[in-house]
Amino acid sequence: MLFAYQRNGAKLRRLPPASEPEAEACFASALWIDLYKPLPGQVEAVRQLGVEVPTLADMEEIEVSSRLYREEGLDYMTVVLPGQTELKEQISAPVCFVLSPERLVTVRHHVPRPFETYPERADKVGLGCARPEQVFLGLIEEIVGRLADLMEGSGRSLDTVSRAIFQPPVATRSHGAPAPERLQELLEQVGREGERLAHIRLALLTLERAVGFFAQTVPDRIEQEGLKPAIKSLQRDIAAMEVHADFVSQRVALATDATLGMINLAQNATVKIVSVVAVLFLPPTLVASIYGMNFAHMPELERPWGYPGALGLMLASAAGAWAYFKWKKWL
């Protein structure tokens, strides 16, 4: 799909869709062209505007030289952003920003939410949307804000896990640790937040590199008033979020260790109960083994009280073991 936006006052207006043969004429005046899983005809239409569209394989290259470079007067900056697939699955995938003096072209194969929210907020984010550079910085600022929201959501989720582990409800405290099923749910929740945080950290790293690369090209631009302060502000925000991401990572590690510790305690309690039951039945088993020996001369075999006496001895030995455990406070 191809979405084209044109400046409309202080906002961005999406141009109506056009057929592929008419795409070049329709989008020649677009300030921002957003390609989402572009078709060959749409790629060719953008190429006719002087922009070479990178493929998904090119965008997935991890070398910095393949993600940040200048070619024929165009700046190519590839970042990795969290988003959704068409099936609403959470993934992290590359997005390429191609910046030219006339327009900004973005190429993506998934759906980061800032690409849906920024057009409605273009006049409220960054320096506005009068030039491609401003659109680029505004979109980056919207992405950083989205990453901050995701990190806040992870923090709230970890708060829930911490309360469940360290401050369980009164009804749960009276029965010991949370149920194993609940502990498994908490561990899965911590794992999901750890995966989300990994996507956020990767996005921040690639954004920091992209903004730094863009800052190096600012002196080459004719209209650069106000760009440097905006770039420095973005760099400070990204650096602050990276520090906060480290803090949240430590919380994820603490929550993981605490949850695993509670699972071990629950397993130890189960093993303790099984061990106590086994020890309680050990003395009666010994008595039954003695009277189960097939010797010809056993005094109690001919006595009428032999059988109930053996049963009583078995019960007494079990009761004695139970009383000893209670006295030692092992139960």
Side-chain angles (χ1 to χ4, degrees):
M1 288 182 285
L2 190 153
F3 306 100
Y5 298 89
Q6 198 174 48
R7 184 185 178 188
N8 184 18
K11 299 185 178 181
L12 289 177
R13 177 177 63 90
R14 179 185 291 185
L15 296 176
S19 59
E20 293 181 3
E22 302 172 351
E24 181 180 354
C26 182
F27 301 119
S29 61
L31 184 63
W32 174 28
I33 298 177
D34 181 28
L35 294 173
Y36 170 56
K37 292 186 176 180
L39 300 174
Q42 296 169 345
V43 172
E44 180 61 28
V46 175
R47 184 180 292 114
Q48 293 298 323
L49 298 178
V51 177
E52 189 70 27
V53 178
T55 63
L56 179 60
D58 296 334
M59 295 162 56
E60 289 178 341
E61 294 289 340
I62 62 174
E63 294 87 353
V64 177
S65 59
S66 300
R67 291 188 171 183
L68 305 172
Y69 60 94
R70 170 172 283 191
E71 186 177 70
E72 297 182 357
L74 305 179
D75 294 329
Y76 289 79
M77 296 165 284
T78 301
V79 301
V80 181
L81 302 179
Q84 292 183 339
T85 63
E86 294 179 345
L87 301 177
K88 305 300 182 181
E89 298 176 348
Q90 298 292 332
I91 64 169
S92 187
V95 176
C96 184
F97 296 85
V98 185
L99 189 60
S100 72
E102 296 81 19
R103 63 185 56 85
L104 171 69
V105 178
T106 55
V107 186
R108 56 191 175 92
H109 293 262
H110 68 310
V111 187
R113 184 168 176 77
F115 284 79
E116 298 178 347
T117 59
Y118 173 71
E120 300 296 330
R121 291 167 34 85
D123 59 328
K124 303 176 182 178
V125 179
L127 301 175
C129 55
R131 302 195 307 272
E133 296 87 353
Q134 295 175 343
V135 175
F136 170 74
L137 291 177
L139 188 54
I140 294 296
E141 185 174 342
E142 186 77 5
I143 293 172
V144 172
R146 176 60 179 170
L147 295 178
D149 294 338
L150 292 176
M151 200 178 302
E152 290 176 1
S154 296
R156 289 191 294 268
S157 181
L158 292 174
D159 289 339
T160 302
V161 174
S162 298
R163 285 194 297 269
I165 294 296
F166 300 112
Q167 300 176 0
V170 178
T172 306
R173 295 178 197 172
S174 60
H175 296 84
E181 296 79 7
R182 177 57 176 163
L183 291 173
Q184 181 177 353
E185 293 176 0
L186 294 175
L187 188 59
E188 292 174 354
Q189 184 176 353
V190 173
R192 288 192 296 269
E193 298 306 327
E195 184 69 14
R196 179 189 298 181
L197 185 62
H199 293 169
I200 294 174
R201 290 172 65 90
L202 179 59
L204 291 173
L205 175 62
T206 55
L207 284 173
E208 182 181 26
R209 290 177 175 177
V211 173
F213 176 81
F214 176 74
Q216 295 176 359
T217 65
V218 167
D220 299 335
R221 304 180 187 278
I222 299 176
E223 298 179 353
Q224 53 174 307
E225 295 82 2
L227 291 183
K228 288 187 176 181
I231 292 173
K232 291 183 179 179
S233 177
L234 274 176
Q235 291 175 329
R236 286 194 297 267
D237 291 342
I238 293 174
M241 287 186 60
E242 287 177 337
V243 173
H244 188 67
D246 293 337
F247 168 71
V248 179
S249 297
Q250 295 176 358
R251 293 195 60 193
V252 169
L254 174 61
T256 302
D257 293 341
T259 307
L260 292 176
M262 295 299 293
I263 292 175
N264 290 333
L265 289 176
Q267 292 176 344
N268 291 339
T270 303
V271 173
K272 179 181 178 181
I273 294 174
V274 174
S275 301
V276 169
V277 171
V279 173
L280 287 178
F281 281 96
L282 185 60
T285 303
L286 177 62
V287 175
S289 300
I290 293 174
Y291 284 99
M293 292 184 291
N294 296 319
F295 289 107
H297 302 286
M298 295 186 71
E300 291 82 2
L301 291 179
E302 304 296 333
R303 305 292 182 180
W305 50 265
Y307 178 68
L311 291 179
L313 183 59
M314 294 166 64
L315 293 176
S317 62
W322 178 82
Y324 178 78
F325 289 156
K326 290 290 289 184
W327 176 64
K328 297 291 290 185
K329 297 182 180 180
W330 292 348
L331 292 176

